């Protein structure tokens, strides 16, 4: 289809195209005025004890420390653990999990590192929830070692590394607006093509109804329409 033909098709359906543009402008306005999302991320490192006089049960077997870190992450992310953070004042979304050394399809958890992330539209909520969450993980892990009768000099310690602070998530609005512009163009041509095809059927239906209306108007007064199978009845 040539450019003049495309322009002619669009001119025939100006109102429909304006309606599509109004809807697209409303969606773009909503995207532009959506509050930005903030996130804070850090890695919690589990540090084995230096003392070997009384071995820590969490590292008595190879890779046990990684499993212990995964267990504490699952405990904190359980409904009970999240409720504990919320009761303390945490309102942001949170996520805690072992650091994946590969990808989601083939996960590889080789080190006792936890990735801690909190997300919200409020930077204050992000920081507050992150502090409560990281504190809860450290306290719960220490409590488990105390329950296992681990002496203080043999306890595994935790430390935060790479704390990003509350950062606004970049780049999403431009991609969304670009995708919206493409979808708007597709919608304009789809609506124009649809309306080019379907008004023909509407004209045909109106032409079929026109003769029936003409016959009804030409009926003489005083004549009652008879059943085709019976005699015609006249009114006098």
């Amino acid at each position: 289809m040539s450019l003049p033909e495309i322009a002619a098709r669009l001119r025939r359906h100006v109102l429909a195209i304006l309606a599509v543009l109004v809807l697209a402008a409303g969606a773009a306005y909503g995207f532009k005025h959506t509050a930005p999302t903030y996130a804070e991320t850090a890695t919690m490192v589990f540090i084995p004890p230096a003392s070997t006089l009384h071995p820590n049960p969490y590292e008595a077997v190879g890779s046990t420390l990684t499993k212990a870190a995964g267990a504490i992450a699952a405990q904190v992310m359980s409904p009970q653990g999240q409720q504990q953070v919320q009761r303390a004042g945490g309102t942001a979304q949170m996520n805690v999990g072992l650091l994946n050394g590969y990808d989601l399809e083939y996960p590889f958890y080789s080190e006792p590192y936890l990735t801690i992330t909190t997300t919200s539209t409020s930077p204050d909520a992000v920081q507050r929830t992150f502090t409560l969450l990281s504190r809860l993980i450290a306290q719960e892990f220490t409590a488990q070692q105390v329950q296992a009768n681990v002496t203080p000099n043999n306890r595994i310690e935790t430390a935060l590394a790479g704390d990003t602070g509350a950062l606004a998530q970049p780049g999403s609005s431009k991609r969304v607006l670009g995708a919206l512009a493409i979808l708007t163009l597709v919608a304009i041509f789809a609506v124009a093509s649809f309306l080019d095809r379907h008004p023909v059927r509407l004209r045909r239906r109106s032409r079929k109804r026109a003769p029936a209306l003409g016959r009804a108007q030409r009926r003489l007064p005083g004549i009652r329409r008879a059943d085709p199978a019976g005699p015609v009845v006249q009114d006098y």
Side-chain angles (χ1 to χ4, degrees):
M1 181 178 291
S2 63
L3 289 177
E5 291 175 342
I6 294 175
R9 172 176 290 184
L10 296 180
R11 281 197 302 269
R12 286 195 297 269
H13 310 292
V14 175
L15 293 179
I17 293 172
L18 287 177
V20 173
L21 291 176
V22 168
L23 292 176
Y29 180 85
F31 286 131
K32 290 291 289 184
H33 290 77
T34 300
T37 300
Y38 295 88
E40 183 170 359
T41 302
T43 301
M44 178 170 281
V45 182
F46 289 73
I47 305 171
S51 174
T52 57
L53 296 177
H54 303 284
N56 192 304
Y58 284 102
E59 56 175 4
V61 183
S63 76
T64 303
L65 186 56
T66 302
K67 295 178 182 178
I72 194 68
Q75 177 181 343
V76 172
M77 287 303 296
S78 68
Q80 294 79 9
Q82 295 189 48
Q83 289 174 4
Q84 189 172 352
V85 175
Q86 291 168 358
R87 284 196 298 268
T91 56
Q93 294 182 353
M94 51 188 164
N95 185 49
V96 180
L98 280 171
L99 179 65
N100 187 356
Y102 201 58
D103 57 22
L104 294 177
E105 187 175 1
Y106 301 102
F108 182 62
Y109 307 111
S110 60
E111 300 292 342
Y113 301 153
L114 292 182
T115 300
I116 304 174
T117 304
T118 55
T119 308
S120 174
T121 56
S122 168
D124 293 336
V126 165
Q127 292 179 334
R128 181 173 59 254
T129 306
F130 183 88
T131 301
L132 293 171
L133 182 59
S134 56
R135 186 182 302 165
L136 174 64
I137 295 173
Q139 290 176 349
E140 288 294 330
F141 194 70
T142 300
Q144 290 180 6
Q145 295 183 83
V146 172
Q147 188 175 2
N149 297 320
V150 179
T151 57
N153 62 322
N154 287 290
R155 290 175 187 169
I156 299 168
E157 297 181 356
T158 59
L160 287 176
D163 189 352
T164 63
L167 297 178
Q169 301 303 291
S172 59
S173 59
K174 292 183 179 179
R175 288 194 294 269
V176 169
L177 292 177
L180 180 62
I182 295 174
L183 290 175
T184 301
L185 292 176
V186 172
I188 286 174
F189 285 105
V191 169
S193 299
F194 177 83
L195 294 178
D196 254 5
R197 291 192 301 267
H198 287 271
V200 176
R201 299 180 182 177
L202 295 175
R203 292 193 193 101
R204 288 178 181 174
R205 292 177 183 174
S206 62
R207 288 173 184 172
K208 289 180 180 179
R209 285 196 293 267
L213 291 174
R215 287 195 299 269
Q217 292 173 356
R218 290 195 298 267
R219 285 173 54 189
L220 295 176
I223 303 296
R224 185 182 301 171
R225 192 174 187 84
D227 186 354
V232 176
V233 180
Q234 289 186 333
D235 294 335
Y236 295 98

